[in-house]
Amino acid sequence: MKDVKETLLERTSVRRYEREAIPNEALEFIFRAIQNTPTSYNGQQFSVIDIDDQALKEELYAITGQKQLKTCNRLLIFCSDYNKICRLAEKKGIDMPDFTNTMDGVMIGVIDAALAMMSAVVAAQAAGLGSNCIGYLRTAAPAKIAEILKLPKGVFVVCGLALGVPREQPDLKPKQPLSLVFHRNEYRQDTDELVAEMERYDEVVSEYNRTRAGGTSTNDWVAHIIDYYKHAMGYEILAYLKDQGYEIRK
Ligand SMILES: Cc1cc2nc3c(=O)[nH]c(=O)nc-3n(C[C@H](O)[C@H](O)[C@H](O)COP(=O)(O)O)c2cc1C
């Protein structure tokens, strides 16, 4: 098992995997780490669809175009889930408020599922495995994926996580410097300096993208990210949530 410092500071996304299976002990560790995730109110408003069926992985690859889905050994799909708590409340005759129809209700499910995914990322890294978050499992064809996974009302996909024995060791990506990440006691007011630091970071990461091992790109970092945002303007997540039983009102 890697130590905490190496686990957290040397993690990268891994998109190529060996064919070999993940050892049971490592998988059990990842599952227990997910189970022990901190959650809002300890309500555990999340579930994980654990996929080891190769045909299903390939079907999800065909929908998303993400090759990692068919080559990974295990695919975990993290969902926001109010179905479990609602069913129990119903059984016990406890009135359920319209909580899933509030933005905070939605955010809580997303936060719980995202933290559970991060528990899995860290546990996998510590166990010497590679992982890659797959947001396309939420965005590519939400209704189709909900149907394939038989998601009941109150459950929607937040993100997938591909896991496997690593077949590559990608370079660490340069991240924003601590001065941009942390704002001491209040949000920084020196906007000109903040923008200047962002420009310097943009140069660093764009240079990294031009020269990194594996796939290089000539895109500017910020232009690249904003292209993703433009593409994401086409996603119909509100309609997806509505299909899954969420009528967001406040
Ligand atoms: C919520 C989320 C969704 C992501 N979706 C994808 C994805 O669909 N496909 C992919 O190849 N990488 C995906 N990633 C991985 C990011 O591209 C990656 O974390 C980022 O480029 C930073 O690289 P690093 O993880 O190596 O530090 C996703 C990451 C997060 C946190």
Side-chain angles (χ1 to χ4, degrees), residues 43-135:
Q44 300 152 71
Q45 290 87 189
F46 75 95
S47 281
V48 183
I49 315 281
D50 169 24
I51 298 180
D52 63 355
D53 179 323
Q54 188 59 28
L56 177 53
K57 285 195 279 159
E58 294 197 13
E59 192 177 357
L60 295 171
Y61 156 66
I63 294 171
T64 60
Q66 298 289 293
K67 267 196 210 135
Q68 311 86 294
L69 295 185
K70 64 173 175 176
T71 57
C72 67
N73 179 260
R74 205 75 169 216
L75 174 63
L76 303 181
I77 303 189
F78 292 82
C79 300
S80 166
D81 184 355
Y82 284 94
N83 175 57
K84 294 183 289 189
I85 203 103
C86 286
R87 295 287 74 82
L88 177 61
E90 192 178 73
K91 180 81 192 298
K92 294 187 77 175
I94 301 169
D95 265 352
M96 174 74 185
D98 246 7
F99 189 52
T100 53
N101 295 342
T102 68
M103 269 311 293
D104 198 49
V106 174
M107 285 169 76
I108 279 175
V110 171
I111 292 167
D112 287 359
L115 290 179
M117 181 173 73
M118 194 59 202
S119 297
V121 167
V122 173
Q125 182 73 16
L129 299 171
S131 73
N132 182 206
C133 307
I134 311 279

Side-chain angles (χ1 to χ4, degrees), residues 3-208:
D3 68 25
V4 177
K5 192 173 174 188
E6 184 186 357
T7 300
L8 292 175
L9 301 188
E10 293 179 23
R11 183 212 57 80
T12 66
S13 292
V14 169
R15 297 178 174 82
R16 298 179 67 230
Y17 314 99
E18 302 290 356
R19 278 178 176 274
E20 65 195 84
I22 296 174
N24 280 337
E25 198 188 334
L27 212 50
E28 170 81 12
F29 172 54
I30 293 168
F31 289 178
R32 298 283 298 276
I34 292 170
Q35 182 188 37
N36 194 34
T37 297
T39 60
S40 313
Y41 315 122
N42 194 33
Q44 300 152 71
Q45 290 87 189
F46 75 95
S47 281
V48 183
I49 315 281
D50 169 24
I51 298 180
D52 63 355
D53 179 323
Q54 188 59 28
L56 177 53
K57 285 195 279 159
E58 294 197 13
E59 192 177 357
L60 295 171
Y61 156 66
I63 294 171
T64 60
Q66 298 289 293
K67 267 196 210 135
Q68 311 86 294
L69 295 185
K70 64 173 175 176
T71 57
C72 67
N73 179 260
R74 205 75 169 216
L75 174 63
L76 303 181
I77 303 189
F78 292 82
C79 300
S80 166
D81 184 355
Y82 284 94
N83 175 57
K84 294 183 289 189
I85 203 103
C86 286
R87 295 287 74 82
L88 177 61
E90 192 178 73
K91 180 81 192 298
K92 294 187 77 175
I94 301 169
D95 265 352
M96 174 74 185
D98 246 7
F99 189 52
T100 53
N101 295 342
T102 68
M103 269 311 293
D104 198 49
V106 174
M107 285 169 76
I108 279 175
V110 171
I111 292 167
D112 287 359
L115 290 179
M117 181 173 73
M118 194 59 202
S119 297
V121 167
V122 173
Q125 182 73 16
L129 299 171
S131 73
N132 182 206
C133 307
I134 311 279
Y136 281 107
L137 284 166
R138 177 186 66 255
T139 55
K144 179 84 190 145
I145 291 177
E147 184 193 324
I148 293 171
L149 302 178
K150 301 192 170 69
L151 301 185
K153 298 274 187 232
V155 180
F156 65 87
V157 171
V158 172
C159 202
L161 185 71
L163 292 172
V165 174
R167 197 179 190 168
E168 61 172 4
Q169 185 48 68
D171 296 339
L172 269 178
K173 282 185 186 166
K175 300 287 165 53
Q176 290 179 12
L178 296 181
S179 60
L180 280 168
V181 175
F182 294 93
H183 303 244
R184 178 74 41 82
N185 295 322
E186 60 179 26
Y187 198 94
R188 286 175 62 168
Q189 300 297 300
D190 55 341
T191 307
D192 291 348
E193 179 51 26
L194 180 144
V195 173
E197 285 180 38
M198 281 297 279
E199 278 182 304
R200 288 197 286 279
Y201 173 68
D202 189 27
E203 280 163 24
V204 169
V205 73
S206 299
E207 176 61 15
Y208 165 85

